[in-house]
Amino acid sequence: MERIVILTGAGISAESGLGTFRDKDGLWTRYDLADVATPDGFARNPRLVHDFYNARRANALDASPNDAHRALARLESEWSGELLIVTQNVDDLHERAGSRNVLHMHGELAGALCASCNHRWPAPRVMSPDAPCPSCGAPRTRPDIVWFGEIPYRMEEIAEALWQADLFVSIGTSGEVYPAAGFVQEAQAAGAETLEINLEPSRLPGLFDRAITGPATQAVPDWVAGLLA
Ligand code: APR
């Protein structure tokens, strides 16, 4: 088995203190995603959207990678084959744990984007709706986050990686949001073995070849140790 593709979701950062979306008291139980994670919500009230992401950016900057992030960084450095982490998360805990080959399909809190000219630059810690774009000057800056109704980033690259994968591992995601939720079928169609690591089984039973249940900070290091043994 040479090529591994790992999909991560909010569950891998939960034990770093960052909220998930759909667990009890998850982010979507406290905010209406239509207000803070859609282009319409941004057009209606950009200040509310910036307040939401400024709070999440501060939380992410104050959080630390956990043993699950570190185990994946260890796997990348010790695995003889190829490893790609496709993350739905917008925090940078994979990178801060030492992972290098990380693809943020839903964007990053660390990125800013101009809604007028598409210029991108490193996001300041606190963003405001009237800050001018450093390139075109328009006061239309937004977090570089993929919102509902928008196309996730680098989908061709992801499709190619899934097509080539020998093993697909889904870690800490509810599998409620497409296209990420469909990656397991794409990998299976390409002949990959599939494994889910989650606090509890998140999908219809049988979608994955194998499932490991438990907190990511225990289940992921154990799985990596077994793979590298
Ligand atoms: N260890 C492992 N898994 C965990 C842990 C933990 N400590 N805590 C929670 N989980 C699992 C839950 O069982 C659930 O399956 O993490 C998953 C969290 O699911 P969601 O809150 O739906 O988060 P996610 O799957 O990443 O959401 C996908 O939806 O809102 C959009 O763009 C947003 O990227 C996000 C996407």
Side-chain angles (χ1 to χ4, degrees), residues 155 158-160 162-163 179-192 194:
M155 286 304 293
I158 295 170
E160 179 58 28
L162 292 170
W163 187 249
F183 290 171
V184 56
Q185 283 104 334
E186 287 182 55
Q188 243 152 19
T194 59

Side-chain angles (χ1 to χ4, degrees), residues 9-11 15 21-23 28 88 106 172-174 177 198-199 216:
E15 290 163 270
F21 296 94
R22 296 173 180 83
D23 291 327
W28 297 148
Q88 300 171 92
H106 289 166
T173 178
S174 60
V177 175
N198 199 303
L199 194 58

Side-chain angles (χ1 to χ4, degrees), residues 21-224:
F21 296 94
R22 296 173 180 83
D23 291 327
K24 77 179 165 38
D25 74 30
L27 278 170
W28 297 148
T29 65
R30 290 182 279 125
Y31 292 88
D32 178 348
L33 66 85
D35 291 339
V36 294
T38 63
D40 291 347
F42 181 66
R44 250 193 329 271
N45 188 342
R47 175 162 303 286
L48 175 70
V49 173
H50 277 300
D51 288 350
F52 176 67
Y53 286 99
N54 286 338
R56 291 184 64 196
R57 189 175 301 106
N59 289 342
L61 288 173
D62 295 347
S64 307
N66 61 51
D67 287 344
H69 298 107
R70 277 189 281 274
L72 295 188
R74 176 191 171 205
L75 179 61
E76 182 181 78
S77 64
E78 297 181 24
W79 182 246
S80 56
E82 291 162 35
L83 172 67
L84 171 65
I85 294 176
V86 179
T87 187
Q88 300 171 92
N89 299 339
V90 293
D91 62 62
D92 61 350
L93 296 181
H94 282 302
E95 290 86 348
R96 284 164 53 197
S99 290
R100 289 186 305 283
N101 199 10
V102 180
L103 194 163
H104 286 268
M105 64 180 288
H106 289 166
E108 298 175 74
L109 288 167
L113 168 65
C114 175
S116 281
C117 74
N118 266 338
H119 177 61
R120 284 182 166 80
W121 66 100
R125 189 178 172 103
V126 179
M127 294 186 74
S128 78
D130 38 27
C133 164
S135 173
C136 77
R140 303 257 293 126
T141 63
R142 58 174 275 185
D144 190 8
I145 301 273
V146 178
W147 286 328
F148 288 94
E150 297 184 321
I151 312 285
Y153 291 152
R154 300 168 61 183
M155 286 304 293
E156 291 76 22
E157 243 177 283
I158 295 170
E160 179 58 28
L162 292 170
W163 187 249
Q164 302 290 339
D166 301 303
L167 173 63
F168 173 74
V169 188
S170 173
I171 301 175
T173 178
S174 60
E176 301 275 334
V177 175
Y178 284 83
F183 290 171
V184 56
Q185 283 104 334
E186 287 182 55
Q188 243 152 19
E193 189 189 329
T194 59
L195 164 67
E196 178 180 42
I197 301 177
N198 199 303
L199 194 58
E200 68 247 345
S202 69
R203 305 290 305 254
L204 300 176
L207 204 54
F208 288 84
D209 299 324
R210 245 176 12 113
I212 299 173
T213 54
T217 53
Q218 287 156 38
V220 178
D222 290 353
W223 169 68
V224 167

